[in-house]
Amino acid sequence: MDQPVCHLGLRRRRSGFTMVELLIVVAIVALLMSLLLPVCAAGLAAARQAACLTNLRSLATAVRLYTGDHRGAYPRAWAGDTCRWMDLLEPYVDKKAETYCCPSDDARVPLPWDDQITMSYGINCFRFKDDAHCFWYGVSTIAVKRPAETILLADCTPGRYYVGGGNRFREPVPGVDYRHSDESFNAVFCDGHAETLKETTREDWDASQ
């Protein structure tokens, strides 16, 4: 009868990772995360910026409907103690849809007189010539000579409802919140198209020229 052979000196190899192998895997995962996180953050910022532009286009559509129902007049920035331009647009914009809230606006400040609206956008209130060309008082669509080059609404300081003001232009524009990538902001023009801007000139805000 054959006797069992005893293999002395041979040890069974354990399965699993050694500590060194585990540390190497952790280091590789950390490296990949450090490479991917900036890309993901940039993608998220771009998505928020695109959503903000969509909000502004929606508000421009509401303004167009308003002007159609009010003999070509844009909504006034201020129409009373508890009535501003966004209150005038209430029949055309669902306040609960967060159309007034930019996704990149982390402060999310509601209006004092209407907490259903979280306000991220302001109307252009520069007055370079007269009341007839200042959206604070109300402007007729036919008074705007360059609708495709005149800013109507823009990203504003959270909780405000207007940007600019007075007849002196300077950069950065008072009340504008440069909250998007590369310190840019979004704006919609009187013709309804929206853009991302970094710098502007007086002509971009002047409805009288």
Side-chain angles (χ1 to χ4, degrees):
M1 175 181 286
D2 296 333
Q3 297 295 324
V5 179
C6 180
H7 297 281
L8 297 176
L10 295 179
R11 291 183 297 176
R12 185 177 179 181
R13 186 174 181 179
R14 293 183 300 173
S15 61
F17 293 105
T18 65
M19 182 60 70
V20 173
E21 291 171 332
L22 183 60
L23 290 175
I24 292 174
V25 171
V26 170
I28 292 173
V29 171
L31 177 62
L32 291 174
M33 290 293 290
S34 68
L35 294 174
L36 291 176
L37 281 177
V39 176
C40 293
L44 180 59
R48 289 177 174 176
Q49 188 167 336
C52 175
L53 289 168
T54 298
N55 284 349
L56 285 167
R57 293 188 191 100
S58 297
L59 292 176
T61 299
V63 169
R64 185 168 65 249
L65 293 172
Y66 178 93
T67 59
D69 291 339
H70 293 81
R71 300 180 180 179
Y74 285 101
R76 299 174 59 179
W78 188 90
D81 291 339
T82 60
C83 185
R84 312 294 198 274
W85 65 270
M86 72 291 300
D87 299 297
L88 297 175
L89 293 183
E90 185 175 353
Y92 314 97
V93 181
D94 184 359
K95 294 184 291 185
K96 297 180 181 180
E98 294 196 350
T99 307
Y100 292 101
C101 184
C102 170
S104 296
D105 179 1
D106 295 327
R108 302 181 71 86
V109 179
L111 292 173
W113 61 92
D114 191 345
D115 60 8
Q116 294 187 73
I117 300 179
T118 301
M119 202 65 199
S120 303
Y121 307 113
I123 194 167
N124 169 14
C125 282
F126 278 108
R127 184 186 183 277
F128 293 115
K129 184 178 180 181
D130 52 29
D131 294 355
H133 295 88
C134 177
F135 294 101
W136 181 268
Y137 303 99
V139 176
S140 172
T141 53
I142 61 175
V144 182
K145 304 302 181 183
R146 301 173 298 109
E149 301 169 42
T150 304
I151 293 173
L152 177 63
L153 304 170
D155 287 323
C156 74
T157 302
R160 289 186 62 168
Y161 62 93
Y162 66 92
V163 294
N167 58 6
R168 298 181 63 183
F169 174 80
R170 70 178 186 273
E171 283 275 8
V173 178
V176 171
D177 191 355
Y178 297 75
R179 56 174 161 254
H180 295 291
S181 58
D182 297 325
E183 296 185 353
S184 62
F185 71 95
N186 288 337
V188 68
F189 291 72
C190 290
D191 71 335
H193 86 277
E195 294 183 22
T196 299
L197 306 167
K198 292 183 66 176
E199 294 183 357
T200 55
T201 64
R202 168 175 168 160
E203 286 69 30
D204 294 318
W205 302 92
D206 192 350
S208 69
Q209 295 187 6

